[in-house]
Amino acid sequence: GRGLGETVRWMLAATNTSFEAVHLSEHAEFVALRDGGKLAFGQLPLLEIDGLLLTQRIAMIQYLARRGNLWGVDPVEEARCTMAAGCVMDMFGPVMRRAFSMKGGAPEKQCSDEVQASFDKFAPRLEQFAADFGSAGHMVGKAMTYTDVMVAEAVVAIEEVVPKCFDAAPKMREIADKVLALPSVKEYLASDKRWGIPDGAYVDNVNTVLGR
């Protein structure tokens, strides 16, 4: 499923980096990676690139950003990108938890309301941040950064749960539209590498792989 690796796949697409998506289905596969020394902290996802074994989502995202010139132009922009990225991840949290909550018995409306509440809390702050430190179609500075890619992923995923909510956040909508217009991103989203909305089967797969 999408999981924590989905933002990494968006980044690979946005930087036009060819990749093979490998998805696990058995606990033994996870154990082999962990015990084989490929998972520095015993956690997924894993990105193998340039002879490196990268874990921790933010490390993968920022490595790809530097590698693909989606990084800020100076230390100030880099710091602002990191700030905005952290807020986007906070806003995105209820979407990441939604399938697990519903599998645990939480009503769908309750989970959707949590997504809406998170949007209501963070979207105005991100809109103001873009107004203060960005430009047309960019969260920070005058060129595309990895934070823009994260915004685009968030817009798509949150609106799968709460349709059209970003009509109230036009700056982020504009940012997302720029990223979604990239041919490599269009190709990824239309490919079989792109998983559907996380559901109960996704939760079962995660629990099986992690041996829960």
Side-chain angles (χ1 to χ4, degrees), residues 2 6 10 92 95 149-163 166 173 176 180 185 189 194 197:
R2 294 180 186 175
E6 181 62 10
W10 274 76
F92 202 72
V95 176
V149 179
M150 294 177 70
V151 167
E153 182 201 2
V155 169
V156 171
I158 290 172
E159 288 199 331
E160 288 174 337
V161 179
V162 185
F166 280 89
R173 171 79 73 197
L180 292 167
V185 171
L189 293 177
R194 167 73 165 171
I197 298 172

Side-chain angles (χ1 to χ4, degrees), residues 97-109 111-112 198 200 203:
R97 297 189 295 269
R98 183 170 179 268
F100 293 89
S101 297
M102 290 175 61
K103 184 73 173 179
E108 182 176 358
K109 184 179 185 306
C111 296
S112 297
V203 175

Side-chain angles (χ1 to χ4, degrees), residues 90-131:
D90 288 342
M91 181 175 67
F92 202 72
V95 176
M96 297 293 293
R97 297 189 295 269
R98 183 170 179 268
F100 293 89
S101 297
M102 290 175 61
K103 184 73 173 179
E108 182 176 358
K109 184 179 185 306
Q110 175 186 321
C111 296
S112 297
D113 287 347
E114 290 173 357
V115 174
Q116 179 72 65
S118 186
F119 170 84
D120 292 342
K121 177 180 179 179
F122 292 111
R125 292 170 170 82
L126 285 163
E127 285 286 292
Q128 187 60 54
F129 195 89

Side-chain angles (χ1 to χ4, degrees), residues 1-176:
R2 294 180 186 175
L4 293 174
E6 181 62 10
T7 309
V8 180
R9 290 186 284 273
W10 274 76
M11 282 295 298
L12 288 163
T15 57
N16 202 23
T17 304
S18 178
F19 69 95
E20 177 185 2
V22 178
H23 298 277
L24 308 185
S25 59
E26 302 293 339
H27 182 54
E29 296 173 300
F30 169 72
V31 171
L33 288 173
R34 184 193 64 198
D35 294 353
K38 286 196 169 185
L39 304 178
F41 306 113
Q43 297 171 304
L44 295 169
L46 167 69
L47 175 64
E48 297 190 52
I49 188 170
D50 299 337
L52 301 171
L53 300 173
L54 300 179
T55 62
Q56 299 298 315
R57 175 172 52 153
I58 194 63
M60 302 179 204
I61 292 168
Q62 292 186 339
Y63 179 80
L64 291 170
R66 287 181 180 273
R67 187 178 185 271
N69 198 30
L70 293 180
W71 196 247
V73 298
D74 58 30
V76 173
E77 282 197 8
E78 291 169 12
R80 287 173 177 161
C81 283
T82 302
M83 289 169 64
C87 189
V88 172
M89 287 191 285
D90 288 342
M91 181 175 67
F92 202 72
V95 176
M96 297 293 293
R97 297 189 295 269
R98 183 170 179 268
F100 293 89
S101 297
M102 290 175 61
K103 184 73 173 179
E108 182 176 358
K109 184 179 185 306
Q110 175 186 321
C111 296
S112 297
D113 287 347
E114 290 173 357
V115 174
Q116 179 72 65
S118 186
F119 170 84
D120 292 342
K121 177 180 179 179
F122 292 111
R125 292 170 170 82
L126 285 163
E127 285 286 292
Q128 187 60 54
F129 195 89
D132 291 342
F133 303 118
S135 59
H138 304 301
M139 179 61 71
V140 175
K142 297 180 180 179
M144 187 175 292
T145 66
Y146 72 95
T147 307
D148 297 338
V149 179
M150 294 177 70
V151 167
E153 182 201 2
V155 169
V156 171
I158 290 172
E159 288 199 331
E160 288 174 337
V161 179
V162 185
K164 298 184 178 181
C165 66
F166 280 89
D167 289 355
K171 291 188 179 300
M172 281 192 284
R173 171 79 73 197
E174 186 178 12
I175 290 166

